[in-house]
Amino acid sequence: MQLLLERGFDGMTVDDVAEAAGVGKATIYRRWASKELLANDAMAELFDIEIPDADTGSIAGDLRQVYRDALMFVNTKEGVALIRLAVTEMNRDEQFTAFYRGFLQRRIALTAAALERARQRGEPIRAGADPVLMVQWLAGVLILRALTGEPMPAVDDTDHLVEMTMRSIVDG
């Protein structure tokens, strides 16, 4: 992942990955049939590690934890580099677009599950609460800021972002 972030997909080679891992190139190819599959797995692992699911007992708590984790990640050099890399690679290769869509779909499924848990607990979640838009609005803000060089929302902005989301999904 570090090589991918530092050099981008085109600048990273399987030879470099093998050298960094202290193994032969054949070892890498036994596990990943192509550089694309290796890069996809590296990005998937990083996204899953950096922004895990939350089940805190309330939708506000779940959002707060996920947003805080996301903001902690995007406020790192690696986080911004990953967003820029993802956008660059999506424009270059349909496989990366499919990968990123898959990441968003997993995040949307986790968000839909969080909304359903909240409903089952009796929280006043609107029938029209849209997990797709919940994920896309925050992702859009982060992508736009990464591309324009604007500062990312700070971790201290977590409560404000949760409040904005809560206004759109809670009745009353």
Side-chain angles (χ1 to χ4, degrees):
M1 191 66 221
Q2 192 62 40
L3 291 171
L4 196 56
L5 291 174
E6 288 171 4
R7 301 178 186 176
F9 179 78
D10 289 333
M12 179 193 80
T13 68
V14 174
D15 287 328
D16 293 336
V17 173
E19 182 180 325
V23 299
K25 190 163 103 172
T27 301
I28 301 296
Y29 278 117
R30 272 196 292 276
R31 183 153 181 195
W32 294 279
S34 69
K35 185 170 105 170
E36 288 83 2
L37 293 173
L38 172 63
N40 279 347
D41 282 356
M43 290 175 69
E45 186 173 318
L46 184 61
F47 273 116
D48 288 343
I49 289 170
E50 296 297 338
I51 309 171
D53 191 23
D55 186 357
T56 65
S58 74
I59 191 65
D62 293 353
L63 291 171
R64 191 169 291 108
Q65 183 176 328
V66 169
Y67 286 13
R68 184 174 293 121
D69 289 345
L71 293 178
M72 286 174 55
F73 176 62
V74 300
N75 276 286
T76 65
K77 180 180 158 189
E78 294 81 12
V80 171
L82 181 63
I83 291 171
R84 288 180 178 155
L85 174 68
V87 170
T88 299
E89 294 305 323
M90 283 188 294
N91 286 315
R92 185 188 71 77
D93 186 336
E94 180 58 35
Q95 287 182 356
F96 282 95
T97 303
F99 164 76
Y100 192 69
R101 251 190 241 116
F103 164 75
L104 287 175
Q105 290 302 319
R106 287 190 304 278
R107 202 32 60 197
I108 289 164
L110 292 171
T111 302
L115 289 170
E116 185 55 33
R117 286 192 306 268
R119 286 183 183 102
Q120 289 176 359
R121 287 188 299 264
E123 293 182 58
I125 303 300
R126 287 186 181 150
D130 187 345
V132 174
L133 289 178
M134 288 173 67
V135 171
Q136 289 177 345
W137 87 261
L138 184 58
V141 167
L142 301 179
I143 290 168
L144 184 63
R145 289 194 179 193
L147 294 178
T148 62
E150 290 182 64
M152 289 292 176
V155 175
D156 290 345
D157 294 326
T158 299
D159 288 338
H160 175 66
L161 296 174
V162 169
E163 181 183 316
M164 288 177 59
T165 302
M166 292 296 290
R167 279 186 276 183
S168 71
I169 65 168
V170 174
D171 281 329

